[in-house]
Amino acid sequence: MAYLNRNPSDVVLPVRIGLIGSGWMGAFHADSIARRVPGAVLAAIADPNVESAQALAQALGTAKVTANAEDILADSEIDAVVIASPARFHSSLIAQAANAGKHVFCEKPAGQGLDELDAALAAVEEAGVHFQIGFNRRYADDFLAAKKDLAAGIAGTPQLLRSLTRDPGTGSIPNAARVPAWTIFLETLIHDFDTLNWFNEGAEPVEVYAVADALVEPSLRDQGFLDTAVVTIRYSNGAVAVAEANFSALYGYDIRGEVFGSKGMVQAGRATETAARRYTAEGLSADTPRLNVELFRQAYTDELVDFAGAVRARRDGMPPLSSDFNVTPGGADARRALAMALACIESVKRGAPVAVNESAAV
C-alpha cells in the first residue's frame, strides 16, 4: 500500500510481469496488469492449457505464451511473476521464482503445508526478492478504513472479533465433487484468518476450534467436501474471534469484518453493492454483488499496483514510501494464515480445539 500513491509519470522502465496460471483468477489478474496497473506490462503468460493462454494473450496484446513456467523464469527481461496456478504448485513455484531472481506475487494459499512453505520463504529470503500474498481484503476501502481506526485506537483493546465469507449461490454448488477437500479452510476462510490477524495486529493466534459440515451439498459429505464452517480462535492477547463461511448465499456475495474493543466497535464490509436502497410496495431492496471480482474489483487492482510499485522500488533503488500501518501482506502473514487453516482441518478431524502450528500439512 505504501506504493499506491507513487506518480505513474515517475516510471522510467515498466515492470515486466509474467503470469503463471491463466484460469479464472489468473485471467482477471492478467487483465488488471495489462489495463489498470500503471507502469506494469504483462510480458508473458504460462499455462499448460496453451490454447486458453493464447486467447487471453491475444485479447490483452501479450506476445509471449508458453506451456511451461520455466520459460518465464528463465527470461532475463521479466522482473516479477504473478502465480495463479492451482494451490498444490504454489510453494514450489515461489521457490523456483525466487531462485531465478524474480519478485513474487502468489495467490493464496502460499502452500499446502508449513514445511514446504518455510522452504519457499527461505528461498525468497536468500534471494532478497519481494514477496506478496494475495490477501486482497487489505486493499478494500472499507477494510482499510477500519484498520486505520484500529491503528488509531478507536476501538481500544480488541476483545471480540468476527469475520465472515458467504459465497453467492443458488442452493447447490456447480462441480462441487471436483472441489478439493478442505477448500473451505485453505482457500476461503484463509482470507478471514488474515483479516482477523491484521485487525488484531501484534497478537498471535494460539488455538482454533473448527466445526464444519456439508449443509449445501449433503451428498458430498462422505467425499470430504465441506461447504459450511465456523471457527473460534483464541489470541495471545486474550481476544476471541469467530470466523464463518458458507458456499451458497442466495442473496449474493457477503464479506464482513468486525472488532469490538474496550472503547467501542469498528466494522467493515457489507452485503449490498452500494449504499442505495429501494423502498417500494414490494418492500425494501438493494442490489448485491454476485462475484468476488465485482465486490473487490478495486482491491484486486490495488494489490497489484502495490506489488508493481514495490518491485520497481527494489529494481530501481527507490526508497519505499512509508505508511501509517502495515498493509502489504508478506511471507509471515501467508504462513500465519496457513497455520490457522491447517489447525482447523486437524480440529475438524479430532472434534476438539487444536493449537496453531500443531499441524504441518493437509
Side-chain angles (χ1 to χ4, degrees), residues 10-144:
D10 293 340
V11 177
V12 177
L13 292 174
V15 173
R16 295 178 59 82
I17 299 175
L19 174 72
I20 300 175
S22 61
W24 185 77
M25 195 68 248
F28 187 83
H29 283 322
D31 188 78
S32 295
I33 295 166
R35 295 173 172 166
R36 295 184 294 278
V37 178
V41 171
L42 181 63
I45 300 173
D47 196 297
N49 186 344
V50 177
E51 184 176 333
S52 174
Q54 286 176 333
L56 178 63
Q58 184 174 3
L60 297 175
T62 300
K64 184 170 183 175
V65 176
T66 175
N68 300 310
E70 291 80 3
D71 294 336
I72 285 181
L73 300 181
D75 189 336
S76 61
E77 294 187 355
I78 290 179
D79 300 301
V81 294
V82 168
I83 299 172
S85 62
R88 64 185 181 273
F89 301 118
H90 285 183
S91 285
S92 62
L93 285 170
I94 291 168
Q96 291 173 54
N99 290 334
K102 309 301 183 190
H103 303 282
V104 182
F105 178 98
C106 184
E107 266 303 331
K108 47 73 194 169
Q112 294 190 308
L114 296 182
D115 290 344
E116 67 178 52
L117 178 55
D118 286 343
L121 295 179
V124 167
E125 182 70 20
E126 183 175 353
V129 297
H130 178 64
F131 174 79
Q132 185 173 327
I133 184 74
F135 289 139
N136 61 295
R137 291 182 200 179
R138 294 186 179 213
Y139 295 86
D141 288 343
D142 48 352
F143 282 84
L144 273 170

